[in-house]
Amino acid sequence: MGTAPEIFGVRPLRAPRAIQLEKVERRALRIGFLFNHDHTHQVAHSAPIAFELARSFPGVAVTLLVASREQLDCVRALAQGSLPKRCEVQLLGAGGPLAWIDPVIGSLLSFRRLAVLESNAALLDEFDALVVPEKTTLRLRTHYGATRVKLIHTRHGAGDRAVGFDPESRHFDLALLSGEKIRARLAALGALPERWAIVGYPKFDSVAATKPIPRFFANERPTVLYNPHFSPHYSSWYDAGREILDFFRGSSEYNLIFAPHVMLFRRRLQLALEKLALRWVPGVPRAHYDCPNIRIDLGSGLSTDMTYTNAADVYLGDVSSQVCEFLARPRPCVFANPRRIAWQGDPSYAMWGLGAVFERASELPAALDAAIRGHAQLRSAQEAYVRETFDLGETPPPSRRAAQAIYAFLTGDGGDAAKRAAPPRELRAAASQ
């Protein structure tokens, strides 16, 4: 089970056809990892599992299927320039009417993801399993006739927003979950697939624990990370964002990293289908770029690789799941609620109970002070939240646990690699719980 690297290359697919894998056992189990989104923020949630499968199981051939050059570059970065043996990457094309429509209205609603699925359905159906971090791929079965391939869901993020727990989730053949919080809520809502495994959070494997935390400011002030979501229904940016930036521009007490969800500024007009809403995205005033105590990043890789969540002293946001990654090392949190949502008791806002919540931008200074001064009283609640969200235990790394779970699901055998290490939690049928 060697891990010697091969040349990292990409072979574009212009039409659906069988993938010819070289130097792979004829009867190898063929597992695809599909990355089909408008940005790269989902890649780190499942790519580490792909690398682990290829390294640990000789009878598996892994293909990472990317839908854009951006995602290709992200995979290359996570693989550190080379792939394990029995692992390759392929770039998927998109054609047909959906691809023609996308350039016309793609600034409002993306059709490219659907075009990729439609154009490559026959190809994707040839895999034994397809591992995905999102739910759009389920359309392969419902709309594009791909009925052979098993669909495995890794999810992306471990947040509380309701969209992550809709009943559509139950249609996957296997779900890989970060922790008991996710399992329990899916089960309560009838959204837990029949087969599932709690494996931890594979994204943590892609961010070295020893990676030095960069210093972005030449002072000793506390650094606040403002990380608003993109959804016009939930995000604080539309109603309070500029006022929040104005506060930090005039502050002599805090530094600010403004790193919103990478999709916020991807389109100037944001449409939310989860709870129908349509709004223009306010831009960032030029003056804020010139402040020595403010760093603005509207979508670089630092926004998704936990650089900013590790570097900040205080988290300021609304509903982004990045707060969960921030809380892996408990610190003060502040949540903006300019729409005055009645959030108490709503599981979609469970994280708001772990910090200070404010409604008007004028209340931000007091909320920051309360969160920092009162953090000692909330630390135990934050730690309990993290334990329920991420099953980190004394077990193999999450990506290895996930790889073992996938192999066991597809073969009924944990394999030699699984026998040499503690296996993931047993795959269980939801009906028996």
Side-chain angles (χ1 to χ4, degrees), residues 26-349:
R26 178 175 296 180
R27 299 183 64 183
L29 194 64
R30 299 178 61 237
I31 302 176
F33 283 73
L34 176 63
F35 304 103
N36 181 24
H37 204 279
D38 305 319
H39 212 287
T40 61
H41 58 293
Q42 297 181 355
V43 177
H45 291 283
S46 55
I49 305 171
F51 303 149
E52 189 63 43
L53 268 170
R55 284 192 293 262
S56 298
F57 296 95
V60 171
V62 173
T63 303
L64 296 103
L65 303 129
V66 298
S68 70
R69 290 283 172 181
E70 277 185 301
Q71 290 167 326
L72 171 62
D73 291 341
C74 186
V75 168
R76 180 181 288 117
L78 290 172
Q80 300 182 344
S82 63
L83 292 173
K85 288 183 177 179
R86 300 181 303 277
C87 187
E88 69 171 9
V89 62
Q90 303 221 355
L91 179 64
L92 299 178
L98 291 175
W100 304 336
I101 294 172
D102 190 71
V104 179
I105 62 173
S107 60
L108 175 62
L109 189 64
S110 175
F111 280 89
R112 178 170 170 78
R113 278 176 267 172
L114 300 180
V116 168
L117 294 177
E118 184 177 44
S119 298
N120 297 283
L123 162 72
L124 299 174
D125 202 29
E126 292 180 358
F127 285 93
D128 294 297
L130 197 61
V131 184
V132 298
E134 41 67 45
K135 297 191 289 290
T136 306
T137 304
L138 287 170
R139 293 177 69 92
L140 282 173
R141 286 180 178 166
T142 59
H143 291 73
Y144 305 130
T147 58
R148 175 187 175 276
V149 63
K150 299 291 186 184
L151 299 180
I152 299 174
H153 194 204
T154 68
R155 304 172 64 85
H156 62 278
D160 300 315
R161 198 159 59 100
V163 70
F165 302 91
D166 64 76
E168 192 177 33
S169 299
R170 71 176 181 269
H171 298 302
F172 284 96
D173 298 293
L174 172 67
L176 303 178
L177 312 176
S178 65
E180 174 60 19
K181 177 189 81 172
I182 308 296
R183 187 213 65 81
R185 190 168 172 197
L186 286 170
L189 296 171
L192 186 67
E194 182 179 351
R195 306 293 285 179
W196 53 274
I198 294 177
V199 300
Y201 201 60
K203 182 177 177 178
F204 287 155
D205 292 345
S206 70
V207 181
T210 57
K211 180 180 178 181
I213 299 175
R215 288 195 57 174
F216 292 108
F217 304 99
N219 61 59
E220 300 301 322
R221 301 176 189 173
T223 295
V224 179
L225 169 62
Y226 180 32
N227 174 230
H229 200 262
F230 67 89
S231 170
H233 181 78
Y234 295 100
S235 176
S236 59
W237 174 249
Y238 301 88
D239 298 309
R242 287 188 174 181
E243 291 180 86
I244 288 173
L245 294 189
D246 287 341
F247 165 75
F248 287 101
R249 184 185 177 203
S251 174
S252 59
E253 297 181 57
Y254 300 101
N255 299 314
L256 176 71
I257 298 173
F258 178 48
H261 191 292
V262 292
M263 292 303 295
L264 177 59
F265 289 94
R266 197 72 170 187
R267 302 185 181 96
R268 288 306 308 272
L269 188 63
Q270 287 282 2
L271 173 65
L273 297 178
E274 176 190 353
K275 290 189 176 181
L276 194 61
L278 177 66
R279 300 188 71 174
W280 286 102
V281 180
V284 179
R286 183 70 247 171
H288 293 89
Y289 283 89
D290 301 325
C291 295
N293 68 319
I294 296 179
R295 178 183 178 87
I296 296 175
D297 187 335
L298 302 186
S300 81
L302 299 180
S303 297
T304 59
D305 69 358
M306 294 181 60
T307 294
Y308 294 142
T309 52
N310 285 335
D313 301 296
V314 181
Y315 181 90
L316 167 58
D318 33 64
V319 298
S320 174
S321 64
Q322 285 194 47
V323 68
C324 301
E325 298 172 6
F326 177 87
L327 284 171
R329 179 163 54 91
R331 284 157 287 170
C333 294
V334 179
F335 301 98
N337 183 21
R339 302 193 68 186
R340 302 183 183 181
I341 295 166
W343 60 274
Q344 291 89 344
D346 186 338
S348 294
Y349 298 92

Side-chain angles (χ1 to χ4, degrees), residues 406-424:
I406 291 171
Y407 190 82
F409 169 69
L410 294 174
T411 67
D413 179 5
D416 291 340
K419 294 173 184 175
R420 284 197 297 273

